[in-house]
Amino acid sequence: MKLGVITSNPGKVEEYRRYFERLGVETVHMRIPYDEIQSSELEEVVRKGMDELKRKGVSDFLIDDSGLFINDLKGFPGVWSAYVQKTIGNDGILKIMDGVEDRSAVFKCCIGCNIGGRDIVVTGVCGGTILERSRGTEGFGYDPIFSHDGVRSFAEIPIDEKNAVSHRGVAAGMLTEEMMKTFCLEGKP
Ligand code: IMP
């Protein structure tokens, strides 16, 4: 089985490649532009993107819209995560969070997958905390300032360990379960 991963983010490509290779699913990185509408819901962005790609004749692909939701900031940067990462970056978030006691945050990842003529949309979440300072060199985006276990940042753990707990790994697991149900496959995600 082959699945196109449509994104401009090489970090996501590598996480999906590692996740799916052990299931015997080959992922192929595809750079096909589509509109990412401004919406307060990740799922709406994903469904609109899928519709546009299908209209363009693309099939057997997945897209992913993700974000970091910080509780003390009422969910900010959330659906603006990409813009905030590009502008103020992790240092900007750490400045805003300076002295903040409640450092809890949630990463969310919505995957939209078109496979065998069917659409599957799932959302995975991963709770954790915003660290006091950036740590580690692995991963991408907010990884150096987010910790799922309160000890190590996502940028300090190997991809397979991140995939086992992360919003993207959880969503990929839900997607795999749905794919197995839909296509009557056997095995374990
Ligand atoms: P998008 O889904 O590509 O729009 O990502 C939104 C923003 O969140 C981008 O700045 C990404 O770098 C960041 N982001 C998404 N997923 C992750 C992740 O797993 N770790 C760290 N940052 C992420």
Side-chain angles (χ1 to χ4, degrees), residues 67-71 76-77 85 90 93-94 97 103-108 124-136 138-157 161-162 165-168:
L68 176 66
F69 297 74
I70 301 176
N71 291 329
F76 182 83
Q85 180 62 222
N90 291 340
I93 291 290
L94 289 178
M97 292 298 286
R103 305 187 72 85
S104 62
V106 177
F107 256 131
K108 294 184 191 174
V125 299
C126 174
T129 49
I130 302 299
L131 294 167
E132 301 276 349
R133 60 180 180 85
S134 265
R135 298 163 56 143
E138 300 293 314
F140 63 94
Y142 297 98
D143 280 348
I145 61 166
F146 180 86
S147 173
H148 72 291
D149 60 7
V151 183
R152 295 160 308 159
S153 78
F154 266 179
E156 291 180 305
I157 60 178
E161 203 179 332
K162 181 181 171 191
V165 293
S166 77
H167 47 312
R168 187 160 298 103

